Amino acid sequence: MSYNYDLFVIGAGSGGIAAARRAAGFGAKVAIAEGNRLGGTCVNRGCIPKKLMVYASHFPALFHDAKGYGWSGVESSFNWQTMITGINNELARLNGVYRQMLETSGVELFSSYAKIIDLHTIEIDNRQVTTDKILIAVGGYPVKPDIPGIEYTITSDDMFLLQSQPKHIAIMGGGYIGVEFACIMNGLGSQVTQLIRRDLILRGFDDDIRTMVQESTIQNGIRIIKVNDPPVIEKTPDGLNVILGDTHQETIPVDAVLTAVGRKPNIKNLGLENAGVEIKNGAIAVNRYSQTSQPNIFAVGDCTDRMNLTPVAINEGRAFADTEFGGKSRTMSYDNIPTAVFSTPEVATVGLRESEANEKFGEEAIKVYRAKFKPTYHGMSGRDARVMVKLVVEAKTDKVLGAHIVGENAAEIIQGIAIALKMGAKKSDFDATVGLHPSIAEEFVTLR
Ligand code: NDP
């Protein structure tokens, strides 16, 4: 049977574009559908605009530090609209780069939303096309908690659209997004109140990291409040009130409330039921080859809710294309995937946290090496900022199971350490490596 396409990809985000280009590179006839801007969450509403905001938020600290190094004080003010315009210009450039990349790869782009009609038929632009294989890469969306006044709150998607800077922002959630935006807005000069429901932010990270980042962000001026009962949000003539119940009984006037309580797969209106694609816990169920319950339909990235990170979606997409179109059967390995939180101070981690290693191997079987220190830079910055590096090692084999860091350039440092862990490096390999002096990274090879 002949089809219009060998592969039809639904969703031109990180995973979809990577898979489409790789498959087309193997000679497949590929189409991709995207109703929104090219690049998906990461490029348009996530990693990239967020990281640009992180950079913007670091300048006041640099202006401060410069004085310790002999520079005269900087008289500067911040213009929110200039930053947002700059971010939008950069995103438009990246959208153009993606369009160009699809064109040069020979992938046909439909700039509309697609719907699955049956196993081999897609409806797009009011017509139907046929395809041998379908790849679903539609990503996720931020969920909102069910609290009174939720309609007055915004999500991370809206943060990049705000016309003016909130003077005081309340942030619900202590995960990646809540912590990153709390630090960004604090750095940009907004007053920040963060509501969390546990003792510590960043559940899922090593406890030493969680404690250090929480202490540091409080020291940097963020107010963190642990709330047992969800708050009530009320509109006022001047903005919003965040009304805290239980032990707090406090009303906090703010200009904006950001909810950052997690994300869900974006699988509505896709026509999955028309093809009998199985859903599990709200996500598209897939095997290790990213194959759904239907052998010719595949899914990658956040819509499968495995590990919701851009480089993971890209790898899943490429593994799919290699297997299905490149004659190289390949699955994605989820071991030792590094991850970072672009907070201030920054966090980066790869491998097992101490508690995980203890659970898996037993406490006596684990050795932990840790150093907390003032880096050379802060010797003259006039800021009391510290760095922490930590290795979790299996005593019997000497294998490094986990590496963790809190501090400047943490993400840049852990990327290299992740290669070592992926190769099965031992603590003795770290010890045998000569340090690069003076640097923060050298502490990883001098831990005793
Ligand atoms: P996370 O799952 O990381 O964190 C959600 C936070 O919201 C947790 O602190 C959680 O608390 C809290 N929460 C959940 N439900 C409620 C509720 N009903 N009331 C109050 N608090 C609640 O989700 P995010 O939205 O921060 O991020 C989504 C995902 O996006 C991340 O998991 C990550 O995969 C990805 N991401 C990655 C980034 C990166 O790589 N740097 C950056 C941003 C996002 P509790 O801990 O108690 O459950």
Side-chain angles (χ1 to χ4, degrees):
M1 169 122 194
S2 89
Y3 300 102
N4 299 133
Y5 300 102
D6 299 316
L7 172 66
F8 196 102
V9 181
I10 306 179
S14 305
I17 289 178
R21 294 182 66 218
R22 180 67 63 98
F26 290 127
K29 188 163 187 234
V30 184
I32 192 164
E34 175 57 65
N36 209 324
R37 292 193 295 186
L38 295 178
T41 301
C42 174
V43 172
N44 298 296
R45 300 172 295 283
C47 326
I48 302 296
K50 179 275 309 284
K51 188 81 189 272
L52 293 170
M53 276 193 178
V54 169
Y55 287 131
S57 73
H58 284 170
F59 286 101
L62 294 175
F63 297 153
H64 167 277
D65 299 350
K67 285 187 261 176
Y69 279 90
W71 291 92
S72 61
V74 175
E75 283 296 322
S76 189
S77 62
F78 176 65
N79 186 312
W80 176 270
Q81 199 52 57
T82 305
M83 177 189 71
I84 294 291
T85 303
I87 289 175
N88 283 328
N89 290 343
E90 176 58 5
L91 300 193
R93 188 186 70 81
L94 291 174
N95 295 147
V97 169
Y98 277 104
R99 189 171 297 275
Q100 187 70 44
M101 285 194 315
L102 287 174
E103 255 172 49
T104 51
S105 313
V107 175
E108 188 178 340
L109 171 65
F110 288 89
S111 297
S112 331
Y113 290 104
K115 186 167 183 171
I116 297 172
I117 299 299
D118 63 34
L119 286 179
H120 293 283
T121 312
I122 301 281
E123 188 176 82
I124 184 117
D125 287 342
N126 299 318
R127 68 184 174 105
Q128 296 197 344
V129 297
T130 59
T131 179
D132 183 15
K133 295 186 169 86
I134 297 172
L135 176 71
I136 306 166
V138 291
Y141 67 95
V143 292
K144 280 189 164 191
D146 186 14
I147 56 168
I150 191 65
E151 64 274 23
Y152 304 124
T153 68
I154 57 174
T155 66
S156 53
D157 287 358
D158 309 305
M159 285 302 294
F160 310 107
L161 305 173
L162 286 179
Q163 289 306 305
S164 57
Q165 179 179 5
K167 285 198 185 72
H168 186 172
I169 185 167
I171 299 179
M172 254 185 97
Y176 279 86
I177 295 178
V179 170
E180 288 183 341
F181 272 114
C183 295
I184 289 169
M185 297 310 289
N186 184 54
L188 294 177
S190 296
Q191 191 182 341
V192 179
T193 302
Q194 190 173 11
L195 309 179
I196 60 172
R197 60 178 188 180
R198 288 172 202 269
D199 290 330
L200 288 176
I201 55 174
L202 294 178
R203 180 168 60 86
F205 284 83
D206 190 271
D207 285 343
D208 282 334
I209 284 183
R210 299 174 70 191
T211 307
M212 181 160 169
V213 177
Q214 185 149 322
E215 284 173 3
S216 306
T217 55
I218 291 170
Q219 188 189 326
N220 290 344
I222 295 172
R223 183 180 179 205
I224 296 184
I225 308 177
K226 186 188 167 196
V227 289
N228 298 318
D229 294 341
V232 170
I233 314 298
E234 182 186 76
K235 194 152 180 53
T236 67
D238 302 325
L240 300 171
N241 274 339
V242 177
I243 304 166
L244 303 183
D246 56 76
T247 52
H248 301 290
Q249 300 298 333
E250 183 183 347
T251 296
I252 307 170
V254 297
D255 304 297
V257 177
L258 166 68
T259 62
V261 299
R263 296 174 58 90
K264 268 194 180 156
N266 188 18
I267 52 177
K268 275 180 258 155
N269 306 321
L270 262 182
L272 294 176
E273 62 292 349
N274 298 336
V277 172
E278 194 188 317
I279 309 287
K280 213 170 168 184
N281 300 325
I284 299 176
V286 287
N287 65 16
R288 39 194 219 102
Y289 288 96
S290 296
Q291 188 174 40
T292 69
S293 54
Q294 296 298 349
N296 74 313
I297 302 184
F298 298 78
V300 295
D302 291 8
C303 64
T304 61
D305 204 13
R306 283 175 281 184
M307 196 176 258
N308 299 333
L309 299 170
T310 294
V312 172
I314 291 172
N315 258 284
E316 288 170 351
R318 289 188 179 148
F320 151 78
D322 288 349
T323 306
E324 294 300 318
F325 297 98
K328 282 180 268 181
S329 179
R330 188 161 84 77
T331 57
M332 155 97 199
S333 159
Y334 294 88
D335 288 338
N336 290 320
I337 292 176
T339 184
V341 185
F342 292 100
S343 44
T344 306
E346 195 166 294
V347 167
T349 181
V350 59
L352 300 187
R353 46 186 195 266
E354 184 181 345
S355 60
E356 267 180 313
N358 285 343
E359 238 168 72
K360 194 165 169 189
F361 298 93
E363 227 165 283
E364 315 72 49
I366 297 301
K367 278 189 181 166
V368 174
Y369 301 85
R370 197 187 285 110
K372 198 169 174 182
F373 56 96
K374 186 170 188 164
T376 311
Y377 173 73
H378 288 299
M380 283 171 62
S381 73
R383 269 195 289 149
D384 186 27
R386 309 261 150 178
V387 169
M388 185 198 69
V389 301
K390 174 170 175 175
L391 287 179
V392 179
V393 177
E394 187 188 8
K396 194 169 74 188
T397 59
D398 199 33
K399 197 174 162 189
V400 179
L401 303 171
H404 310 273
I405 172 166
V406 179
E408 278 132 24
N409 300 312
E412 306 289 355
I413 292 169
I414 217 76
Q415 182 67 81
I417 304 280
I419 301 173
L421 262 68
K422 200 76 192 161
M423 294 175 73
K426 295 182 171 175
K427 174 72 167 59
S428 56
D429 297 316
F430 276 63
D431 296 343
T433 304
V434 175
L436 205 156
H437 188 72
S439 69
I440 288 172
E442 72 177 318
E443 296 294 327
F444 271 118
V445 298
T446 56
L447 285 170
R448 291 285 176 274

